[in-house]
Amino acid sequence: MAGTWTGTGGVDSHPFVEGTEEDAYVEHYELSPIDAQTNGPQLFYGLHYRTHITKPGEVEAFHDQTGYWLWEPATGSVLLTVAIPRGQVAMAGGTATPDATSFEVGASAGDPHFGIITNPFLDYAFHTVSFTMTVTVTSDHEWSYRQDTILEVRGVPGQFHHTDHNTLTRVAPPAPNPTAQPI
């Protein structure tokens, strides 16, 4: 999955004053290899990512996000760390084999391992209950995702499913990790 990707068919369904609003979006997603990470005997391989999302024809960010995709070969654990500049962070977890073409990660509010932390306003007005993301790799040059973030919107009964999905196509190979290059 390392490389630079773009997707022009994204769809975001989110809370709006009158209920639900659906927006198309364009996504630029960069995945860069990082050095192997160790925690004592634990070993992670990973990619640093940044996704920048705009509405079609616009320049201003509709959504911006950064973090890491990590994989632990010994357990098959997949971790996704998420940092959003609206004051929200999360760590989602799942499992995948080395040859998996599809996998899912998830996080829930209050989970001490795969949890979600939100600034006071967002927690008050749009409490995030859970997050799941399913990734499907269809080839070396294409992958897609489906996300479901369950929210409790203040003043609205029940839970709201804030969903996003997109298919991304590789537009550039990954930049090599400079520490892995011969000198």
Side-chain angles (χ1 to χ4, degrees), residues 14-53:
H14 57 271
F16 190 67
V17 175
E18 286 87 32
T20 301
E21 181 177 67
E22 209 169 80
D23 285 309
Y25 63 87
V26 175
E27 185 167 8
H28 179 83
Y29 203 112
E30 294 179 15
L31 288 148
S32 304
I34 61 171
D35 292 337
Q37 303 294 305
T38 58
N39 294 318
Q42 187 179 42
L43 172 68
F44 283 114
Y45 292 101
L47 299 167
H48 173 258
Y49 77 91
R50 177 167 185 227
T51 183
H52 183 81
I53 297 172

PDB file of all heavy atoms in Angstrom, residues 14-53:
ATOM      1  N   HIS A  14     -22.845  12.555   6.548  1.00  0.00           N
ATOM      2  CA  HIS A  14     -22.599  13.084   7.894  1.00  0.00           C
ATOM      3  C   HIS A  14     -23.821  13.838   8.422  1.00  0.00           C
ATOM      4  O   HIS A  14     -24.716  14.200   7.656  1.00  0.00           O
ATOM      5  CB  HIS A  14     -21.366  13.995   7.890  1.00  0.00           C
ATOM      6  CG  HIS A  14     -21.473  15.125   6.911  1.00  0.00           C
ATOM      7  ND1 HIS A  14     -21.056  15.019   5.612  1.00  0.00           N
ATOM      8  CD2 HIS A  14     -21.981  16.366   7.031  1.00  0.00           C
ATOM      9  CE1 HIS A  14     -21.286  16.150   4.979  1.00  0.00           C
ATOM     10  NE2 HIS A  14     -21.852  16.990   5.819  1.00  0.00           N
ATOM     11  N   PRO A  15     -23.818  14.092   9.760  1.00  0.00           N
ATOM     12  CA  PRO A  15     -24.951  14.826  10.339  1.00  0.00           C
ATOM     13  C   PRO A  15     -25.049  16.239   9.763  1.00  0.00           C
ATOM     14  O   PRO A  15     -24.044  16.873   9.465  1.00  0.00           O
ATOM     15  CB  PRO A  15     -24.619  14.893  11.831  1.00  0.00           C
ATOM     16  CG  PRO A  15     -23.552  13.911  12.069  1.00  0.00           C
ATOM     17  CD  PRO A  15     -22.834  13.718  10.770  1.00  0.00           C
ATOM     18  N   PHE A  16     -26.275  16.699   9.618  1.00  0.00           N
ATOM     19  CA  PHE A  16     -26.547  18.037   9.110  1.00  0.00           C
ATOM     20  C   PHE A  16     -27.760  18.560   9.870  1.00  0.00           C
ATOM     21  O   PHE A  16     -28.513  17.792  10.457  1.00  0.00           O
ATOM     22  CB  PHE A  16     -26.807  17.980   7.591  1.00  0.00           C
ATOM     23  CG  PHE A  16     -26.858  19.306   6.916  1.00  0.00           C
ATOM     24  CD1 PHE A  16     -25.728  20.087   6.812  1.00  0.00           C
ATOM     25  CD2 PHE A  16     -28.044  19.787   6.378  1.00  0.00           C
ATOM     26  CE1 PHE A  16     -25.761  21.321   6.186  1.00  0.00           C
ATOM     27  CE2 PHE A  16     -28.093  21.013   5.745  1.00  0.00           C
ATOM     28  CZ  PHE A  16     -26.949  21.784   5.652  1.00  0.00           C
ATOM     29  N   VAL A  17     -27.975  19.858   9.842  1.00  0.00           N
ATOM     30  CA  VAL A  17     -29.058  20.480  10.605  1.00  0.00           C
ATOM     31  C   VAL A  17     -30.391  19.773  10.373  1.00  0.00           C
ATOM     32  O   VAL A  17     -31.121  19.489  11.312  1.00  0.00           O
ATOM     33  CB  VAL A  17     -29.166  21.988  10.268  1.00  0.00           C
ATOM     34  CG1 VAL A  17     -30.360  22.611  10.963  1.00  0.00           C
ATOM     35  CG2 VAL A  17     -27.885  22.708  10.626  1.00  0.00           C
ATOM     36  N   GLU A  18     -30.714  19.461   9.148  1.00  0.00           N
ATOM     37  CA  GLU A  18     -31.996  18.820   8.832  1.00  0.00           C
ATOM     38  C   GLU A  18     -31.904  17.298   8.836  1.00  0.00           C
ATOM     39  O   GLU A  18     -32.772  16.632   8.309  1.00  0.00           O
ATOM     40  CB  GLU A  18     -32.523  19.291   7.472  1.00  0.00           C
ATOM     41  CG  GLU A  18     -33.080  20.707   7.488  1.00  0.00           C
ATOM     42  CD  GLU A  18     -31.998  21.751   7.254  1.00  0.00           C
ATOM     43  OE1 GLU A  18     -31.032  21.484   6.528  1.00  0.00           O
ATOM     44  OE2 GLU A  18     -32.129  22.845   7.833  1.00  0.00           O
ATOM     45  N   GLY A  19     -30.827  16.723   9.332  1.00  0.00           N
ATOM     46  CA  GLY A  19     -30.708  15.263   9.391  1.00  0.00           C
ATOM     47  C   GLY A  19     -29.395  14.755   8.863  1.00  0.00           C
ATOM     48  O   GLY A  19     -28.434  14.642   9.589  1.00  0.00           O
ATOM     49  N   THR A  20     -29.353  14.453   7.566  1.00  0.00           N
ATOM     50  CA  THR A  20     -28.160  13.866   6.948  1.00  0.00           C
ATOM     51  C   THR A  20     -27.813  14.626   5.682  1.00  0.00           C
ATOM     52  O   THR A  20     -28.690  15.008   4.922  1.00  0.00           O
ATOM     53  CB  THR A  20     -28.408  12.381   6.595  1.00  0.00           C
ATOM     54  OG1 THR A  20     -28.750  11.673   7.773  1.00  0.00           O
ATOM     55  CG2 THR A  20     -27.172  11.748   5.977  1.00  0.00           C
ATOM     56  N   GLU A  21     -26.526  14.817   5.476  1.00  0.00           N
ATOM     57  CA  GLU A  21     -26.048  15.431   4.233  1.00  0.00           C
ATOM     58  C   GLU A  21     -25.014  14.497   3.634  1.00  0.00           C
ATOM     59  O   GLU A  21     -24.216  13.900   4.352  1.00  0.00           O
ATOM     60  CB  GLU A  21     -25.420  16.796   4.519  1.00  0.00           C
ATOM     61  CG  GLU A  21     -24.931  17.498   3.267  1.00  0.00           C
ATOM     62  CD  GLU A  21     -24.383  18.882   3.572  1.00  0.00           C
ATOM     63  OE1 GLU A  21     -23.336  18.964   4.252  1.00  0.00           O
ATOM     64  OE2 GLU A  21     -25.003  19.860   3.131  1.00  0.00           O
ATOM     65  N   GLU A  22     -25.026  14.387   2.315  1.00  0.00           N
ATOM     66  CA  GLU A  22     -24.066  13.554   1.608  1.00  0.00           C
ATOM     67  C   GLU A  22     -23.225  14.444   0.704  1.00  0.00           C
ATOM     68  O   GLU A  22     -23.765  15.263  -0.028  1.00  0.00           O
ATOM     69  CB  GLU A  22     -24.801  12.493   0.788  1.00  0.00           C
ATOM     70  CG  GLU A  22     -24.011  11.239   0.612  1.00  0.00           C
ATOM     71  CD  GLU A  22     -24.844  10.106   0.045  1.00  0.00           C
ATOM     72  OE1 GLU A  22     -25.063  10.095  -1.187  1.00  0.00           O
ATOM     73  OE2 GLU A  22     -25.257   9.245   0.832  1.00  0.00           O
ATOM     74  N   ASP A  23     -21.901  14.300   0.818  1.00  0.00           N
ATOM     75  CA  ASP A  23     -20.980  15.083  -0.004  1.00  0.00           C
ATOM     76  C   ASP A  23     -20.044  14.168  -0.763  1.00  0.00           C
ATOM     77  O   ASP A  23     -19.529  13.192  -0.206  1.00  0.00           O
ATOM     78  CB  ASP A  23     -20.119  16.014   0.873  1.00  0.00           C
ATOM     79  CG  ASP A  23     -20.882  17.209   1.373  1.00  0.00           C
ATOM     80  OD1 ASP A  23     -21.514  17.896   0.561  1.00  0.00           O
ATOM     81  OD2 ASP A  23     -20.846  17.464   2.594  1.00  0.00           O
ATOM     82  N   ALA A  24     -19.796  14.505  -2.030  1.00  0.00           N
ATOM     83  CA  ALA A  24     -18.748  13.852  -2.804  1.00  0.00           C
ATOM     84  C   ALA A  24     -17.412  14.438  -2.354  1.00  0.00           C
ATOM     85  O   ALA A  24     -17.340  15.583  -1.893  1.00  0.00           O
ATOM     86  CB  ALA A  24     -18.959  14.106  -4.292  1.00  0.00           C
ATOM     87  N   TYR A  25     -16.345  13.652  -2.466  1.00  0.00           N
ATOM     88  CA  TYR A  25     -15.032  14.190  -2.132  1.00  0.00           C
ATOM     89  C   TYR A  25     -13.928  13.582  -2.987  1.00  0.00           C
ATOM     90  O   TYR A  25     -14.081  12.518  -3.576  1.00  0.00           O
ATOM     91  CB  TYR A  25     -14.715  14.050  -0.642  1.00  0.00           C
ATOM     92  CG  TYR A  25     -14.614  12.646  -0.080  1.00  0.00           C
ATOM     93  CD1 TYR A  25     -13.410  11.931  -0.112  1.00  0.00           C
ATOM     94  CD2 TYR A  25     -15.700  12.049   0.531  1.00  0.00           C
ATOM     95  CE1 TYR A  25     -13.308  10.671   0.446  1.00  0.00           C
ATOM     96  CE2 TYR A  25     -15.613  10.790   1.096  1.00  0.00           C
ATOM     97  CZ  TYR A  25     -14.403  10.099   1.049  1.00  0.00           C
ATOM     98  OH  TYR A  25     -14.317   8.847   1.607  1.00  0.00           O
ATOM     99  N   VAL A  26     -12.822  14.331  -3.042  1.00  0.00           N
ATOM    100  CA  VAL A  26     -11.608  13.938  -3.741  1.00  0.00           C
ATOM    101  C   VAL A  26     -10.533  13.767  -2.679  1.00  0.00           C
ATOM    102  O   VAL A  26     -10.398  14.598  -1.780  1.00  0.00           O
ATOM    103  CB  VAL A  26     -11.187  15.021  -4.759  1.00  0.00           C
ATOM    104  CG1 VAL A  26      -9.864  14.682  -5.418  1.00  0.00           C
ATOM    105  CG2 VAL A  26     -12.294  15.221  -5.798  1.00  0.00           C
ATOM    106  N   GLU A  27      -9.772  12.684  -2.785  1.00  0.00           N
ATOM    107  CA  GLU A  27      -8.815  12.343  -1.731  1.00  0.00           C
ATOM    108  C   GLU A  27      -7.407  12.163  -2.286  1.00  0.00           C
ATOM    109  O   GLU A  27      -7.215  11.550  -3.333  1.00  0.00           O
ATOM    110  CB  GLU A  27      -9.281  11.050  -1.056  1.00  0.00           C
ATOM    111  CG  GLU A  27      -8.481  10.618   0.124  1.00  0.00           C
ATOM    112  CD  GLU A  27      -9.201   9.528   0.914  1.00  0.00           C
ATOM    113  OE1 GLU A  27     -10.244   9.013   0.441  1.00  0.00           O
ATOM    114  OE2 GLU A  27      -8.717   9.205   1.999  1.00  0.00           O
ATOM    115  N   HIS A  28      -6.444  12.702  -1.568  1.00  0.00           N
ATOM    116  CA  HIS A  28      -5.018  12.508  -1.846  1.00  0.00           C
ATOM    117  C   HIS A  28      -4.452  11.804  -0.617  1.00  0.00           C
ATOM    118  O   HIS A  28      -4.518  12.343   0.489  1.00  0.00           O
ATOM    119  CB  HIS A  28      -4.336  13.864  -2.070  1.00  0.00           C
ATOM    120  CG  HIS A  28      -2.879  13.751  -2.339  1.00  0.00           C
ATOM    121  ND1 HIS A  28      -2.385  13.481  -3.590  1.00  0.00           N
ATOM    122  CD2 HIS A  28      -1.806  13.869  -1.520  1.00  0.00           C
ATOM    123  CE1 HIS A  28      -1.067  13.445  -3.530  1.00  0.00           C
ATOM    124  NE2 HIS A  28      -0.693  13.671  -2.292  1.00  0.00           N
ATOM    125  N   TYR A  29      -3.931  10.593  -0.775  1.00  0.00           N
ATOM    126  CA  TYR A  29      -3.521   9.740   0.345  1.00  0.00           C
ATOM    127  C   TYR A  29      -2.076   9.314   0.126  1.00  0.00           C
ATOM    128  O   TYR A  29      -1.770   8.652  -0.867  1.00  0.00           O
ATOM    129  CB  TYR A  29      -4.431   8.511   0.380  1.00  0.00           C
ATOM    130  CG  TYR A  29      -4.553   7.795   1.696  1.00  0.00           C
ATOM    131  CD1 TYR A  29      -5.749   7.801   2.396  1.00  0.00           C
ATOM    132  CD2 TYR A  29      -3.504   7.069   2.231  1.00  0.00           C
ATOM    133  CE1 TYR A  29      -5.902   7.116   3.589  1.00  0.00           C
ATOM    134  CE2 TYR A  29      -3.639   6.388   3.427  1.00  0.00           C
ATOM    135  CZ  TYR A  29      -4.839   6.410   4.100  1.00  0.00           C
ATOM    136  OH  TYR A  29      -4.979   5.723   5.294  1.00  0.00           O
ATOM    137  N   GLU A  30      -1.195   9.720   1.026  1.00  0.00           N
ATOM    138  CA  GLU A  30       0.222   9.353   0.938  1.00  0.00           C
ATOM    139  C   GLU A  30       0.570   8.361   2.029  1.00  0.00           C
ATOM    140  O   GLU A  30       0.247   8.576   3.199  1.00  0.00           O
ATOM    141  CB  GLU A  30       1.101  10.589   1.085  1.00  0.00           C
ATOM    142  CG  GLU A  30       0.953  11.569  -0.048  1.00  0.00           C
ATOM    143  CD  GLU A  30       1.814  12.815   0.130  1.00  0.00           C
ATOM    144  OE1 GLU A  30       2.734  12.801   0.978  1.00  0.00           O
ATOM    145  OE2 GLU A  30       1.550  13.797  -0.579  1.00  0.00           O
ATOM    146  N   LEU A  31       1.249   7.269   1.655  1.00  0.00           N
ATOM    147  CA  LEU A  31       1.701   6.237   2.589  1.00  0.00           C
ATOM    148  C   LEU A  31       3.205   6.063   2.407  1.00  0.00           C
ATOM    149  O   LEU A  31       3.660   5.657   1.330  1.00  0.00           O
ATOM    150  CB  LEU A  31       0.991   4.915   2.308  1.00  0.00           C
ATOM    151  CG  LEU A  31      -0.478   4.860   2.703  1.00  0.00           C
ATOM    152  CD1 LEU A  31      -1.251   3.955   1.776  1.00  0.00           C
ATOM    153  CD2 LEU A  31      -0.597   4.387   4.136  1.00  0.00           C
ATOM    154  N   SER A  32       3.966   6.378   3.458  1.00  0.00           N
ATOM    155  CA  SER A  32       5.432   6.319   3.392  1.00  0.00           C
ATOM    156  C   SER A  32       5.964   5.291   4.376  1.00  0.00           C
ATOM    157  O   SER A  32       5.606   5.314   5.561  1.00  0.00           O
ATOM    158  CB  SER A  32       6.032   7.680   3.747  1.00  0.00           C
ATOM    159  OG  SER A  32       5.510   8.676   2.899  1.00  0.00           O
ATOM    160  N   PRO A  33       6.863   4.392   3.925  1.00  0.00           N
ATOM    161  CA  PRO A  33       7.443   3.404   4.832  1.00  0.00           C
ATOM    162  C   PRO A  33       8.233   4.072   5.961  1.00  0.00           C
ATOM    163  O   PRO A  33       8.877   5.104   5.759  1.00  0.00           O
ATOM    164  CB  PRO A  33       8.390   2.599   3.941  1.00  0.00           C
ATOM    165  CG  PRO A  33       7.977   2.891   2.541  1.00  0.00           C
ATOM    166  CD  PRO A  33       7.359   4.255   2.559  1.00  0.00           C
ATOM    167  N   ILE A  34       8.161   3.472   7.151  1.00  0.00           N
ATOM    168  CA  ILE A  34       8.954   3.933   8.294  1.00  0.00           C
ATOM    169  C   ILE A  34       9.884   2.797   8.717  1.00  0.00           C
ATOM    170  O   ILE A  34       9.701   1.647   8.305  1.00  0.00           O
ATOM    171  CB  ILE A  34       8.057   4.360   9.483  1.00  0.00           C
ATOM    172  CG1 ILE A  34       7.199   3.191   9.988  1.00  0.00           C
ATOM    173  CG2 ILE A  34       7.183   5.547   9.087  1.00  0.00           C
ATOM    174  CD1 ILE A  34       6.458   3.462  11.288  1.00  0.00           C
ATOM    175  N   ASP A  35      10.877   3.124   9.530  1.00  0.00           N
ATOM    176  CA  ASP A  35      11.742   2.089  10.084  1.00  0.00           C
ATOM    177  C   ASP A  35      10.918   1.130  10.924  1.00  0.00           C
ATOM    178  O   ASP A  35       9.908   1.521  11.521  1.00  0.00           O
ATOM    179  CB  ASP A  35      12.824   2.708  10.982  1.00  0.00           C
ATOM    180  CG  ASP A  35      13.835   3.532  10.201  1.00  0.00           C
ATOM    181  OD1 ASP A  35      13.989   3.303   8.991  1.00  0.00           O
ATOM    182  OD2 ASP A  35      14.473   4.397  10.818  1.00  0.00           O
ATOM    183  N   ALA A  36      11.367  -0.127  11.011  1.00  0.00           N
ATOM    184  CA  ALA A  36      10.706  -1.092  11.891  1.00  0.00           C
ATOM    185  C   ALA A  36      10.722  -0.528  13.314  1.00  0.00           C
ATOM    186  O   ALA A  36      11.699   0.098  13.740  1.00  0.00           O
ATOM    187  CB  ALA A  36      11.430  -2.429  11.834  1.00  0.00           C
ATOM    188  N   GLN A  37       9.626  -0.732  14.027  1.00  0.00           N
ATOM    189  CA  GLN A  37       9.473  -0.208  15.381  1.00  0.00           C
ATOM    190  C   GLN A  37       9.464  -1.372  16.374  1.00  0.00           C
ATOM    191  O   GLN A  37       8.760  -2.361  16.148  1.00  0.00           O
ATOM    192  CB  GLN A  37       8.164   0.578  15.503  1.00  0.00           C
ATOM    193  CG  GLN A  37       8.043   1.720  14.523  1.00  0.00           C
ATOM    194  CD  GLN A  37       9.056   2.816  14.792  1.00  0.00           C
ATOM    195  OE1 GLN A  37       9.127   3.344  15.899  1.00  0.00           O
ATOM    196  NE2 GLN A  37       9.840   3.154  13.782  1.00  0.00           N
ATOM    197  N   THR A  38      10.220  -1.234  17.460  1.00  0.00           N
ATOM    198  CA  THR A  38      10.254  -2.295  18.464  1.00  0.00           C
ATOM    199  C   THR A  38       9.777  -1.778  19.809  1.00  0.00           C
ATOM    200  O   THR A  38       9.981  -0.616  20.165  1.00  0.00           O
ATOM    201  CB  THR A  38      11.679  -2.860  18.624  1.00  0.00           C
ATOM    202  OG1 THR A  38      12.559  -1.792  18.995  1.00  0.00           O
ATOM    203  CG2 THR A  38      12.175  -3.494  17.342  1.00  0.00           C
ATOM    204  N   ASN A  39       9.093  -2.654  20.534  1.00  0.00           N
ATOM    205  CA  ASN A  39       8.720  -2.463  21.929  1.00  0.00           C
ATOM    206  C   ASN A  39       9.217  -3.716  22.644  1.00  0.00           C
ATOM    207  O   ASN A  39       8.481  -4.693  22.746  1.00  0.00           O
ATOM    208  CB  ASN A  39       7.195  -2.369  22.102  1.00  0.00           C
ATOM    209  CG  ASN A  39       6.601  -1.143  21.463  1.00  0.00           C
ATOM    210  OD1 ASN A  39       7.161  -0.068  21.556  1.00  0.00           O
ATOM    211  ND2 ASN A  39       5.472  -1.299  20.807  1.00  0.00           N
ATOM    212  N   GLY A  40      10.482  -3.718  23.071  1.00  0.00           N
ATOM    213  CA  GLY A  40      11.038  -4.954  23.621  1.00  0.00           C
ATOM    214  C   GLY A  40      10.994  -6.013  22.535  1.00  0.00           C
ATOM    215  O   GLY A  40      11.483  -5.803  21.428  1.00  0.00           O
ATOM    216  N   PRO A  41      10.329  -7.154  22.793  1.00  0.00           N
ATOM    217  CA  PRO A  41      10.277  -8.215  21.773  1.00  0.00           C
ATOM    218  C   PRO A  41       9.253  -7.959  20.670  1.00  0.00           C
ATOM    219  O   PRO A  41       9.244  -8.658  19.664  1.00  0.00           O
ATOM    220  CB  PRO A  41       9.885  -9.449  22.587  1.00  0.00           C
ATOM    221  CG  PRO A  41       9.081  -8.903  23.721  1.00  0.00           C
ATOM    222  CD  PRO A  41       9.734  -7.568  24.063  1.00  0.00           C
ATOM    223  N   GLN A  42       8.386  -6.971  20.852  1.00  0.00           N
ATOM    224  CA  GLN A  42       7.368  -6.680  19.843  1.00  0.00           C
ATOM    225  C   GLN A  42       7.982  -5.932  18.671  1.00  0.00           C
ATOM    226  O   GLN A  42       8.786  -5.015  18.862  1.00  0.00           O
ATOM    227  CB  GLN A  42       6.254  -5.848  20.474  1.00  0.00           C
ATOM    228  CG  GLN A  42       5.066  -5.638  19.575  1.00  0.00           C
ATOM    229  CD  GLN A  42       3.978  -4.836  20.252  1.00  0.00           C
ATOM    230  OE1 GLN A  42       4.251  -3.849  20.933  1.00  0.00           O
ATOM    231  NE2 GLN A  42       2.735  -5.251  20.064  1.00  0.00           N
ATOM    232  N   LEU A  43       7.604  -6.314  17.447  1.00  0.00           N
ATOM    233  CA  LEU A  43       8.140  -5.696  16.237  1.00  0.00           C
ATOM    234  C   LEU A  43       6.987  -5.288  15.330  1.00  0.00           C
ATOM    235  O   LEU A  43       6.123  -6.110  15.003  1.00  0.00           O
ATOM    236  CB  LEU A  43       9.046  -6.678  15.493  1.00  0.00           C
ATOM    237  CG  LEU A  43       9.531  -6.246  14.115  1.00  0.00           C
ATOM    238  CD1 LEU A  43      10.496  -5.066  14.221  1.00  0.00           C
ATOM    239  CD2 LEU A  43      10.189  -7.413  13.401  1.00  0.00           C
ATOM    240  N   PHE A  44       6.969  -4.013  14.933  1.00  0.00           N
ATOM    241  CA  PHE A  44       5.968  -3.499  13.996  1.00  0.00           C
ATOM    242  C   PHE A  44       6.657  -3.036  12.720  1.00  0.00           C
ATOM    243  O   PHE A  44       7.715  -2.395  12.764  1.00  0.00           O
ATOM    244  CB  PHE A  44       5.248  -2.263  14.565  1.00  0.00           C
ATOM    245  CG  PHE A  44       4.215  -2.554  15.603  1.00  0.00           C
ATOM    246  CD1 PHE A  44       4.400  -2.129  16.906  1.00  0.00           C
ATOM    247  CD2 PHE A  44       3.045  -3.220  15.278  1.00  0.00           C
ATOM    248  CE1 PHE A  44       3.436  -2.366  17.870  1.00  0.00           C
ATOM    249  CE2 PHE A  44       2.076  -3.469  16.233  1.00  0.00           C
ATOM    250  CZ  PHE A  44       2.271  -3.041  17.535  1.00  0.00           C
ATOM    251  N   TYR A  45       6.026  -3.330  11.589  1.00  0.00           N
ATOM    252  CA  TYR A  45       6.386  -2.703  10.327  1.00  0.00           C
ATOM    253  C   TYR A  45       5.289  -1.696  10.047  1.00  0.00           C
ATOM    254  O   TYR A  45       4.124  -1.923  10.414  1.00  0.00           O
ATOM    255  CB  TYR A  45       6.465  -3.733   9.200  1.00  0.00           C
ATOM    256  CG  TYR A  45       7.622  -4.681   9.380  1.00  0.00           C
ATOM    257  CD1 TYR A  45       7.415  -5.956   9.889  1.00  0.00           C
ATOM    258  CD2 TYR A  45       8.915  -4.276   9.073  1.00  0.00           C
ATOM    259  CE1 TYR A  45       8.482  -6.820  10.072  1.00  0.00           C
ATOM    260  CE2 TYR A  45       9.991  -5.137   9.252  1.00  0.00           C
ATOM    261  CZ  TYR A  45       9.761  -6.405   9.756  1.00  0.00           C
ATOM    262  OH  TYR A  45      10.827  -7.249   9.948  1.00  0.00           O
ATOM    263  N   GLY A  46       5.632  -0.575   9.402  1.00  0.00           N
ATOM    264  CA  GLY A  46       4.588   0.412   9.266  1.00  0.00           C
ATOM    265  C   GLY A  46       4.742   1.405   8.147  1.00  0.00           C
ATOM    266  O   GLY A  46       5.772   1.503   7.481  1.00  0.00           O
ATOM    267  N   LEU A  47       3.666   2.145   8.003  1.00  0.00           N
ATOM    268  CA  LEU A  47       3.566   3.231   7.042  1.00  0.00           C
ATOM    269  C   LEU A  47       3.021   4.455   7.757  1.00  0.00           C
ATOM    270  O   LEU A  47       2.039   4.362   8.503  1.00  0.00           O
ATOM    271  CB  LEU A  47       2.588   2.855   5.916  1.00  0.00           C
ATOM    272  CG  LEU A  47       2.932   1.633   5.077  1.00  0.00           C
ATOM    273  CD1 LEU A  47       1.724   1.209   4.243  1.00  0.00           C
ATOM    274  CD2 LEU A  47       4.119   1.935   4.179  1.00  0.00           C
ATOM    275  N   HIS A  48       3.664   5.592   7.547  1.00  0.00           N
ATOM    276  CA  HIS A  48       3.099   6.859   8.001  1.00  0.00           C
ATOM    277  C   HIS A  48       2.160   7.318   6.885  1.00  0.00           C
ATOM    278  O   HIS A  48       2.478   7.194   5.702  1.00  0.00           O
ATOM    279  CB  HIS A  48       4.201   7.903   8.223  1.00  0.00           C
ATOM    280  CG  HIS A  48       3.656   9.263   8.534  1.00  0.00           C
ATOM    281  ND1 HIS A  48       3.600  10.267   7.602  1.00  0.00           N
ATOM    282  CD2 HIS A  48       3.097   9.770   9.658  1.00  0.00           C
ATOM    283  CE1 HIS A  48       3.046  11.336   8.151  1.00  0.00           C
ATOM    284  NE2 HIS A  48       2.728  11.057   9.392  1.00  0.00           N
ATOM    285  N   TYR A  49       0.979   7.823   7.265  1.00  0.00           N
ATOM    286  CA  TYR A  49       0.063   8.271   6.227  1.00  0.00           C
ATOM    287  C   TYR A  49      -0.432   9.684   6.509  1.00  0.00           C
ATOM    288  O   TYR A  49      -0.425  10.165   7.638  1.00  0.00           O
ATOM    289  CB  TYR A  49      -1.145   7.318   6.084  1.00  0.00           C
ATOM    290  CG  TYR A  49      -2.193   7.489   7.164  1.00  0.00           C
ATOM    291  CD1 TYR A  49      -3.254   8.376   6.984  1.00  0.00           C
ATOM    292  CD2 TYR A  49      -2.116   6.788   8.352  1.00  0.00           C
ATOM    293  CE1 TYR A  49      -4.212   8.542   7.977  1.00  0.00           C
ATOM    294  CE2 TYR A  49      -3.062   6.944   9.344  1.00  0.00           C
ATOM    295  CZ  TYR A  49      -4.106   7.825   9.158  1.00  0.00           C
ATOM    296  OH  TYR A  49      -5.036   7.993  10.142  1.00  0.00           O
ATOM    297  N   ARG A  50      -0.844  10.310   5.446  1.00  0.00           N
ATOM    298  CA  ARG A  50      -1.581  11.565   5.536  1.00  0.00           C
ATOM    299  C   ARG A  50      -2.607  11.544   4.425  1.00  0.00           C
ATOM    300  O   ARG A  50      -2.290  11.238   3.269  1.00  0.00           O
ATOM    301  CB  ARG A  50      -0.688  12.781   5.347  1.00  0.00           C
ATOM    302  CG  ARG A  50      -1.559  14.059   5.369  1.00  0.00           C
ATOM    303  CD  ARG A  50      -0.800  15.329   5.492  1.00  0.00           C
ATOM    304  NE  ARG A  50      -1.750  16.431   5.629  1.00  0.00           N
ATOM    305  CZ  ARG A  50      -1.661  17.542   4.943  1.00  0.00           C
ATOM    306  NH1 ARG A  50      -0.680  17.732   4.094  1.00  0.00           N
ATOM    307  NH2 ARG A  50      -2.554  18.496   5.130  1.00  0.00           N
ATOM    308  N   THR A  51      -3.841  11.846   4.780  1.00  0.00           N
ATOM    309  CA  THR A  51      -4.883  11.972   3.776  1.00  0.00           C
ATOM    310  C   THR A  51      -5.424  13.389   3.823  1.00  0.00           C
ATOM    311  O   THR A  51      -5.622  13.955   4.896  1.00  0.00           O
ATOM    312  CB  THR A  51      -6.001  10.918   3.956  1.00  0.00           C
ATOM    313  OG1 THR A  51      -6.939  11.068   2.883  1.00  0.00           O
ATOM    314  CG2 THR A  51      -6.695  11.023   5.282  1.00  0.00           C
ATOM    315  N   HIS A  52      -5.574  13.954   2.641  1.00  0.00           N
ATOM    316  CA  HIS A  52      -6.076  15.320   2.489  1.00  0.00           C
ATOM    317  C   HIS A  52      -7.278  15.230   1.564  1.00  0.00           C
ATOM    318  O   HIS A  52      -7.177  14.751   0.430  1.00  0.00           O
ATOM    319  CB  HIS A  52      -4.989  16.213   1.887  1.00  0.00           C
ATOM    320  CG  HIS A  52      -5.412  17.640   1.762  1.00  0.00           C
ATOM    321  ND1 HIS A  52      -5.375  18.512   2.813  1.00  0.00           N
ATOM    322  CD2 HIS A  52      -5.868  18.329   0.691  1.00  0.00           C
ATOM    323  CE1 HIS A  52      -5.801  19.700   2.399  1.00  0.00           C
ATOM    324  NE2 HIS A  52      -6.103  19.612   1.123  1.00  0.00           N
ATOM    325  N   ILE A  53      -8.436  15.677   2.057  1.00  0.00           N
ATOM    326  CA  ILE A  53      -9.684  15.507   1.330  1.00  0.00           C
ATOM    327  C   ILE A  53     -10.314  16.878   1.065  1.00  0.00           C
ATOM    328  O   ILE A  53     -10.391  17.715   1.967  1.00  0.00           O
ATOM    329  CB  ILE A  53     -10.653  14.609   2.136  1.00  0.00           C
ATOM    330  CG1 ILE A  53     -10.031  13.209   2.280  1.00  0.00           C
ATOM    331  CG2 ILE A  53     -12.020  14.553   1.494  1.00  0.00           C
ATOM    332  CD1 ILE A  53     -10.792  12.278   3.202  1.00  0.00           C
TER     333      ILE A  53
END
